[in-house]
Amino acid sequence: MTTPLEWYRRRTYLHFDMPISENAATAITGNPDVVARHAFYPLINFTINSKKVKWDPVLKKLSLTSKERPVSYASHVDSHIYAYYAAILSEKYEAHLKSANYESAVLAFRKLGKSNIHFAKEAFTAIKKLGNADVITTDIKDFFGNLDHQILRAAWRAILGVESLPSDHYNVFKSLTRFSWVDKRNLYAALHISPNNPRASGPRICEPEAFRKVVRACKLIETNPHSRGIPQGSPISALLSNIYMVNFDEMMWDAVTAWGGKYFRYCDDMLIIAPHGKGKDLLNLAREFSDLYKLPLHPDKTEERTFTATSDGLTTDKPLQYLGFLFDGKRVVLRSASLARYSDRMKRGVRLAKATMRSRNDLRVGRGEAPTSLHKRKLYKRYSYLGRRNFVSYALRAAGILEAKEIKRQVKPLWKRLRKQMT
């Protein structure tokens, strides 16, 4: 039995219900009959417009494109239920992996004490060890949106070791497959909630009566009409994606290792390292298995690389891109797109800090006070090696773990660029 401290996390965002205490959450989740009868609220959906830097092979330069990423989040009680059942299933899943031969293949959504830097190092080391190798990276298209409900239900049963899901588990499963949601903008508009100051409307989005008379009556609730797909972002969704892939991972591992290769999966990204000449056969096998589990591979995100052992060391026809790094057989470097993305964020951050300083100083001068200078400490912490959790500190950590001096050389000019922007 899991303890509350392992899964409980107080959430303070606005939703259809109020935040609840650890004791209250434990009382609900610890009673299967209550969970079996629980009515889940709709998720709240909104879209984040993020910028993505990509290399344009035609123009031979970096291009900046916008990408919309949907985000959904569950109500407070619902989130605690999902987190509690994720803890139960995680324990079962990890126990299953420990008895399986493919445990090292599953990288994402596990408490391994490692980062993508370590995973990349393991992959590059495996390629070096194999020498003459075919290396394939491929991506499952719309991973969470394509998870088949029948396959997921069967995998859920198998992890629990039962012939049919208990009523509490089934209710959680049903809430994630027949999930419903409301658009945040439409919701706020219907309830006259200010998007700039939503908390002014109260401690919750609305009372149950308003939920029935406005949210339901105005038909703001949409429901998943398909026999596939689960919401991405709930406390249990990531784990369920791994559970869904249990048989797939085992089949891929057995097939690749039978020919002396290595197989890794990081969420929807698969990496196959195979002896030279076996890559295409294993890629075709991956496609067959993907079709079997109703998970189409993304044709535009499937790449094949050939590594060759020579007297000068390992070489490749084209560098392998994996988990944010490029590997050419000898060197590991950061993707140029990652550096460009850092530079763009840094410039925008410094411009905003300068604009804030000017606005603040206009007010100070108006009050007869002396103007202040730019707050550089915060910028240094956010955009240089002086900060602990930023791109530069991450790059330097990667350089150490991967033993890649080239990465240090890549980030060295960033200090001068930051100082120049701040002048």
Side-chain angles (χ1 to χ4, degrees), residues 217-241:
C218 293
K219 298 183 179 179
L220 299 179
I221 302 173
E222 297 183 65
T223 303
N224 179 30
H226 307 293
S227 59
R228 65 181 187 276
I230 64 173
Q232 186 174 353
S234 82
I236 197 174
S237 296
L239 173 64
L240 290 180
S241 71

Side-chain angles (χ1 to χ4, degrees), residues 176-356:
L176 291 160
T177 52
R178 302 178 192 171
F179 64 94
S180 59
W181 72 93
V182 294
D183 180 80
K184 187 176 182 179
R185 289 176 302 178
N186 296 338
L187 177 66
Y188 279 18
L191 294 171
H192 308 291
I193 297 175
S194 168
N196 300 318
N197 187 22
R199 292 192 178 275
S201 63
R204 63 194 296 178
I205 285 180
C206 65
E207 296 294 331
E209 184 179 1
F211 179 81
R212 292 190 298 270
K213 292 184 176 180
V214 179
V215 181
R216 285 197 184 281
C218 293
K219 298 183 179 179
L220 299 179
I221 302 173
E222 297 183 65
T223 303
N224 179 30
H226 307 293
S227 59
R228 65 181 187 276
I230 64 173
Q232 186 174 353
S234 82
I236 197 174
S237 296
L239 173 64
L240 290 180
S241 71
N242 273 347
I243 290 175
Y244 185 98
M245 299 293 282
V246 162
N247 291 334
F248 180 97
D249 288 332
E250 184 173 19
M251 291 191 301
M252 281 300 304
W253 172 270
D254 288 346
V256 176
T257 55
W259 279 345
K262 285 277 190 178
Y263 162 74
F264 299 101
R265 182 179 61 81
Y266 190 96
C267 187
D268 57 352
D269 293 322
M270 286 185 283
L271 177 70
I272 299 170
I273 303 169
H276 182 60
K278 302 297 184 183
K280 289 190 181 298
D281 290 335
L282 287 172
L283 176 58
N284 289 333
L285 195 62
R287 289 188 176 120
E288 289 179 17
F289 290 164
S290 297
D291 289 342
L292 182 64
Y293 283 86
K294 302 181 181 181
L295 296 172
L297 298 185
H298 204 302
D300 298 332
K301 295 184 179 180
T302 298
E303 297 186 350
E304 302 175 56
R305 299 287 182 267
T306 300
F307 285 83
T308 306
T310 69
S311 56
D312 294 328
L314 198 62
T315 63
T316 181
D317 52 342
K318 188 177 179 181
L320 170 70
Q321 180 176 300
Y322 185 59
L323 299 180
F325 300 98
L326 290 174
F327 176 59
D328 66 0
K330 300 183 181 68
R331 305 181 313 147
V332 180
V333 297
L334 296 168
R335 295 168 57 227
S336 55
S338 299
L339 293 164
R341 185 162 55 248
Y342 158 82
S343 294
D344 179 66
R345 289 177 178 172
M346 180 268 290
K347 289 175 183 178
R348 286 189 285 116
V350 173
R351 282 198 300 267
L352 178 60
K354 286 182 174 180
T356 302

Side-chain angles (χ1 to χ4, degrees), residues 47-52 65-69 301:
T47 302
I48 294 177
N49 197 322
S50 58
K51 292 184 177 180
K52 189 172 183 179
T65 58
S66 294
K67 182 179 179 180
E68 290 189 346
R69 184 168 66 90
K301 295 184 179 180

